[in-house]
Amino acid sequence: MDNSHALFICNEQVEGENGCKHREGEATFPPARAGFYVTVPTAMPKIILSANTDWYLFNFRRSLARQLQASGWEVVLFSPNGPYTSHFESEGMRWLPWRLGRQSLAPWLEWPAFRQALAVYRREKPDLVHHHTIKPSIYGSAAAARSEVGGIVNSITGRGYVFLGREPKARLLRAAVRAMYRHAFRPDNLRAIFENQMDRDYFIRHGLVPQGRTALVESVGVDPERFHPSPEPAGKPVVLMAARMLWDKGAGVLVEAARRLGAPEKVRVLLAGQPDPGNPNTVPLPQLEAWQREGVVEWLGFQPDVPALLAGCHIFTLPTMYGEGIPVALLEAAASGRPVVTTDIPGPRDFVQDGVTGILVPPDDPEALARALESLLHDPDRRGRMGAAGRQRVLERFTQQEVNRQTIAIYHELLGAA
């Protein structure tokens, strides 16, 4: 490892103003406990974190950005404009706009996005870039390879529709996206982070990335202080799904299951989240409104206070239909002490222990989903045991602190090689 980029923990008592000790050419921060201090070189690395939405960076990478900043790194965020960019700036994080379309595939529409990334990387001269989601990983990696970037990190958060869809459009896109991955993932200074072993094996098996350039970091983690257990609410049982309102997240499957459960007379089924017009699988607003009028589910729309939302339910469900990274929604529910019912596919099953922390059901199977939910609706003791086991699993392996530690270790590996 190149020590000019390393963080050192030294077994030495720190003295000086405000518990800090300064040496020539380096700065030290107050120790976490007596006898230890952290030394950070003054010339700290610059990193650019990018994604296809500002929403993704705000919800899933803000903790990582904060931790890097606290260690002295210069953090720059790079994404399309949106409602969360002002939050970045209020926290002292620089944000740069990226004109990146989420649906466009025509080369003459995509070329400007690559050119913009190339211009930004050449101007900013980051030591590292970390891309999230498909397009930033492909275009950003290609741009970084043509710039003076010390390390390239790409987070593959699942294969999704392109790799798992059965429609002719998905099969056509699959061949094109595979070719783009192979080209973009060629640099030796690149690491691809996967959230589950099956996705990692798929990319290696199909020659999209060499095994030596891969790493496994399970999820983006969750804050167990923000998401914590609370007593179940009184009254009629409540089943909650909190996610973007997409067909492939299982919104329609849950509605069919709710009908089988006798909602709303026997159980309340809540859908929390907005449709996503930038996604071809979005549930149209008229359909959500029709379900609401029918009364079989309650569509709540966007809910900013997710911990309060989870405290108001008895069971959390996410009947997602395609393999993905470990869904953060499952981690948040488990950290809140709620049992989860989800599908037996890569990602969800890498977190949920069937029969211990929740129940796994086949994808796109409303009947199986209804049976699993009903088995928990009438068994509060089992819900309590599953909720407690789920939180313990989060604390052992899936906290933001642990995930950030693993991710930053990959950064240091690349910086050392550079």
Side-chain angles (χ1 to χ4, degrees):
M1 180 185 295
D2 179 355
N3 286 347
S4 66
H5 296 292
L7 298 178
F8 302 95
I9 299 179
C10 304
N11 191 14
E12 178 180 326
Q13 183 64 44
V14 176
E15 301 291 345
E17 183 179 358
N18 297 324
C20 297
K21 182 174 180 179
H22 298 278
R23 297 176 179 174
E24 184 177 353
E26 60 188 26
T28 60
F29 292 85
R33 52 196 171 96
F36 285 76
Y37 64 89
V38 179
T39 301
V40 183
T42 52
M44 291 300 290
K46 175 193 283 190
I47 185 169
I48 294 179
L49 303 176
S50 76
N52 64 355
T53 63
D54 63 326
W55 171 87
Y56 186 96
L57 292 176
F58 181 82
N59 282 283
F60 301 146
R61 282 315 193 193
R62 187 169 36 142
S63 168
L64 175 63
R66 284 173 171 172
Q67 187 165 334
L68 291 168
Q69 274 192 320
S71 299
W73 291 54
E74 181 180 353
V75 178
V76 180
L77 305 175
F78 187 36
S79 73
N81 196 6
Y84 296 96
T85 57
S86 60
H87 294 282
F88 300 144
E89 295 168 353
S90 68
E91 295 192 29
M93 301 177 191
R94 264 206 311 140
W95 167 79
L96 301 174
W98 192 1
R99 294 182 296 277
L100 179 70
R102 295 180 59 201
Q103 289 182 288
S104 57
L105 292 171
W108 57 89
L109 296 177
E110 300 292 88
W111 180 250
F114 163 75
R115 293 290 299 174
Q116 187 185 4
L118 183 64
V120 166
Y121 291 173
R122 287 178 173 173
R123 183 182 71 243
E124 293 290 330
K125 295 180 171 59
D127 297 279
L128 285 165
V129 291
H130 187 168
H131 309 111
H132 305 80
T133 61
I134 291 179
K135 285 189 177 182
S137 293
I138 292 174
Y139 304 154
S141 296
R146 290 162 176 78
S147 309
E148 296 180 3
V149 176
I152 306 167
V153 180
N154 294 326
S155 283
I156 310 300
T157 56
R159 285 177 283 163
Y161 171 79
V162 170
F163 288 105
L164 299 172
R166 299 171 184 173
E167 297 85 348
K169 179 181 178 182
R171 290 196 293 269
L172 180 64
L173 289 174
R174 192 173 305 148
V177 171
R178 279 179 180 172
M180 288 189 286
Y181 268 127
R182 290 190 188 100
H183 177 77
F185 283 23
R186 288 185 304 174
D188 292 334
N189 64 335
L190 180 145
R191 294 294 180 274
I193 296 177
F194 296 87
E195 292 190 9
N196 64 71
Q197 188 61 45
M198 184 169 287
D199 287 350
R200 185 186 193 181
D201 291 342
Y202 177 93
F203 270 65
I204 294 169
R205 184 170 65 253
H206 289 277
L208 308 186
V209 62
Q211 183 172 354
R213 296 179 200 156
T214 67
L216 184 66
V217 178
E218 297 176 308
S219 84
V220 295
V222 67
D223 180 359
E225 299 298 321
R226 182 176 177 228
F227 294 92
H228 53 81
S230 59
E232 288 188 341
K236 188 182 299 183
V238 176
V239 173
L240 169 68
M241 172 183 169
R244 288 176 296 158
M245 292 293 103
L246 305 177
W247 293 112
D248 57 12
K249 291 290 184 183
V253 176
L254 179 56
V255 171
E256 289 301 319
R259 293 191 177 105
R260 288 168 168 78
L261 290 172
E265 288 77 15
K266 297 180 180 179
V267 59
R268 294 176 62 203
V269 178
L270 310 183
L271 300 179
Q274 289 286 84
D276 183 0
N279 191 304
N281 280 301
T282 191
V283 179
L285 181 60
Q287 179 63 74
L288 292 166
E289 293 171 339
W291 287 338
Q292 176 80 357
R293 288 193 301 271
E294 181 186 348
V296 66
V297 295
E298 301 172 39
W299 176 52
L300 307 179
F302 172 72
Q303 295 293 309
D305 192 346
V306 180
L309 195 64
L310 288 164
C313 79
H314 297 77
I315 305 166
F316 184 85
T317 186
L318 184 69
T320 182
M321 298 171 64
Y322 294 121
E324 54 183 284
I326 295 177
V328 176
L330 297 181
L331 301 180
E332 293 172 345
S336 303
R338 296 300 186 254
V340 297
V341 177
T342 187
T343 40
D344 189 7
I345 57 176
R349 69 169 171 236
D350 289 275
F351 170 67
V352 175
Q353 298 167 300
D354 190 28
V356 179
T357 65
I359 300 176
L360 296 173
V361 299
D364 198 16
D365 190 336
E367 182 61 36
L369 178 61
R371 287 197 304 269
L373 291 171
E374 188 166 28
S375 71
L376 290 176
L377 288 175
H378 306 295
D379 196 340
D381 290 339
R382 191 181 183 206
R383 293 199 302 265
R385 291 193 301 271
M386 284 185 168
R391 178 168 175 84
Q392 185 60 36
R393 184 159 168 79
V394 166
L395 295 176
E396 290 171 355
R397 292 175 55 180
F398 297 95
T399 64
Q400 286 179 343
Q401 183 180 17
E402 173 59 20
V403 169
N404 292 347
R405 182 194 66 78
Q406 295 177 40
T407 303
I408 294 172
I410 294 170
Y411 295 168
H412 284 307
E413 176 197 345
L414 284 171
L415 288 173

